[in-house]
Amino acid sequence: MSANTIVSLTCIPMRLPFHHWSKPPLFAGRPRDKLDSALVRLETQDGMVAWGESYCVEPRALQAIFETLISPLACGQQADDPNLLAGMQRILHNLGRSGPVVHALAGLDIALWDLRAKRAGVPLYQLLGGKHRDKVRVYASLLQYYADEGLLEQVTQRALGEGYTEIKLHERTAKAVAAVRKSVGADIPVMVDTNCAWLPEEAESAITEMMSYRPYWIEEPIWQPEDEQALQALKKKVSVPLAVGENASCALALRRMVENASVQYVQPSVIKLGLTAAWDIAQTCRGTTVTCAPQVAFFGPGFLASLHLIAAQETEVSLERLYVELAHVPYGRTVPIANGWLELPDAPGLGAEPEAELIQGAFAH
């Protein structure tokens, strides 16, 4: 074995209890009081440890995938093998081109980037060609308040008071957008994520109702989210930019949207697709009318990987932060949000290590 041989790869669920100053929102018909992802811990023969993060809806399923599929294929391999991840993707492709297996591979991919940067003794953004900015603006991404005008005003004012200067809603009605626009005034950008609310034939009229309240973009306006022809048709009918990507079935779908200018913003999620795919999509956007604005509704190593990506890409965009009160804030001491901004960490790799509580599985259940 060489120093760079992978000797262990483990999945540690990270289920962070949260409060959003209201009743828990519903997810799949059930109240949701935790935000879930999973740490991915990679260790090499010489004892170096690197970290990734995977999207995780069901911890037991993701842990089983790591134990039975991902770890057996990765352990014993060379971490610096440029074909490692692509080879595993091809071996496992018949288990799905999206979903938990792909999410597990995304976590491995982020850990491999962390490891490479640590080996080189440089912050990860250097492996992406260097940084274009030292700090990144953060926008407050509100969970759903079901058009409750009082709560929307309360929470948006709370976010503004903490220094955020951009707001995103997870709402579906003009009434909700109107309430927030009234609360924040004319100059604050207000993005609207509808979570695939409408069928293609419904979207135009629903968006038109919102237009007088000046949404900055409309995110995931239609079901199915990767229906490129429907998105292209909608883009011609409405004047507000469209954003899509976190639920695209694969990276190829997003690249096609960039190449065909089907939307104005693409939003890859590094904990679903991996940093390699997300960075490739960002590079595909260069010189086009499409901007890469990664989806970042998570708090672990994937959050840091997204921060490096945004700092390294030429076009400036803000980083999404789910605006909730967490029982534990990962990297809250090492990479804190201050007045709506994040300073880019300069330590080797992702720039910070997960806290002991997370590593030890204190939030695994």
Side-chain angles (χ1 to χ4, degrees):
M1 286 190 184
S2 73
N4 221 24
T5 301
I6 299 171
V7 295
S8 73
L9 185 66
T10 55
C11 167
I12 306 168
M14 188 168 65
R15 313 193 70 192
L16 299 173
F18 76 92
H19 180 59
H20 79 316
W21 311 286
S22 181
K23 295 178 182 178
L26 298 178
F27 181 74
R30 296 180 179 180
R32 183 183 191 185
D33 61 0
K34 295 182 177 68
L35 295 169
D36 297 340
S37 65
L39 293 174
V40 177
R41 183 186 185 277
L42 182 152
E43 185 173 353
T44 54
Q45 177 65 29
D46 63 352
M48 184 166 281
V49 173
W51 295 95
E53 184 177 4
S54 291
Y55 184 70
C56 177
V57 171
E58 173 44 65
R60 292 169 297 179
L62 193 67
Q63 285 180 302
I65 287 167
F66 268 93
E67 291 169 6
T68 62
L69 297 171
I70 308 299
S71 295
L73 286 172
C75 290
Q77 304 300 314
Q78 298 305 300
D80 56 355
D81 179 355
N83 299 313
L84 174 61
L85 188 72
M88 292 177 64
Q89 288 171 333
R90 291 183 69 175
I91 290 170
L92 298 172
H93 80 274
N94 64 346
L95 299 179
R97 297 281 289 121
S98 64
V101 173
V102 176
H103 302 159
L105 289 168
L108 169 60
D109 182 48
I110 295 168
L112 290 171
W113 278 95
D114 185 34
L115 182 70
R116 285 194 291 270
K118 285 175 175 173
R119 291 270 188 223
V122 300
L124 193 151
Y125 63 75
Q126 292 287 17
L127 301 187
L128 301 176
K131 60 182 177 179
H132 286 273
R133 50 201 61 87
D134 293 317
K135 61 180 183 177
V136 170
R137 188 187 302 273
V138 183
Y139 68 82
S141 184
L142 280 58
L143 293 184
Q144 193 168 7
Y145 291 93
Y146 305 97
D148 185 313
E149 296 176 57
L151 282 171
L152 285 167
E153 179 180 9
Q154 172 192 327
V155 178
T156 53
Q157 287 300 315
R158 183 187 184 104
L160 295 181
E162 292 181 8
Y164 292 96
T165 56
E166 298 176 351
I167 302 291
K168 185 162 85 175
L169 312 180
H170 287 81
E171 302 286 341
R172 300 180 173 187
T173 66
K175 175 186 174 183
V177 184
V180 172
R181 177 55 69 200
K182 180 180 178 182
S183 176
V184 303
D187 298 328
I188 296 291
V190 176
M191 294 79 91
V192 182
D193 185 349
T194 73
N195 293 117
C196 305
W198 306 301
L199 297 175
E201 62 270 19
E202 300 169 331
E204 180 185 1
S205 62
I207 292 172
T208 299
E209 287 186 45
M210 297 178 177
M211 289 305 297
S212 60
Y213 309 113
R214 297 175 51 224
Y216 187 82
W217 73 46
I218 303 294
E219 185 171 333
E220 294 207 310
I222 64 168
W223 175 259
Q224 299 173 7
E226 58 275 278
D227 186 341
E228 190 174 0
Q229 288 184 326
L231 287 166
Q232 287 176 326
L234 181 61
K235 181 185 173 187
K236 294 176 182 177
K237 294 175 181 177
V238 298
S239 57
V240 63
L242 304 179
V244 70
E246 73 173 273
N247 290 315
S249 56
C250 65
L252 179 61
L254 280 183
R255 284 197 293 270
R256 291 287 182 265
M257 290 183 192
V258 176
E259 292 163 0
N260 297 325
S262 304
V263 295
Q264 289 90 341
Y265 293 91
V266 290
Q267 301 172 295
S269 167
V270 299
I271 69 169
K272 291 182 177 179
L273 298 178
L275 179 57
T276 299
W279 181 242
D280 177 68
I281 290 163
Q283 295 302 98
T284 303
C285 288
R286 292 180 63 184
T288 75
T289 59
V290 183
T291 298
C292 180
Q295 186 257 9
V296 195
F298 36 87
F299 305 94
F303 149 70
L304 293 182
S306 302
L307 176 60
H308 284 273
L309 185 158
I310 289 171
Q313 72 174 19
E314 291 183 5
T315 303
E316 185 173 7
V317 296
S318 299
L319 184 144
E320 178 178 17
R321 182 69 167 190
L322 283 186
Y323 189 63
V324 296
E325 191 173 285
L326 293 170
H328 173 83
V329 181
Y331 312 115
R333 296 184 293 273
T334 51
V335 190
I337 297 172
N339 295 315
W341 290 87
L342 276 165
E343 297 281 347
L344 196 63
D346 284 322
L350 290 166
E353 299 293 287
E355 293 84 4
E357 302 98 302
L358 300 179
I359 294 171
Q360 294 164 3
F363 297 97
H365 304 289

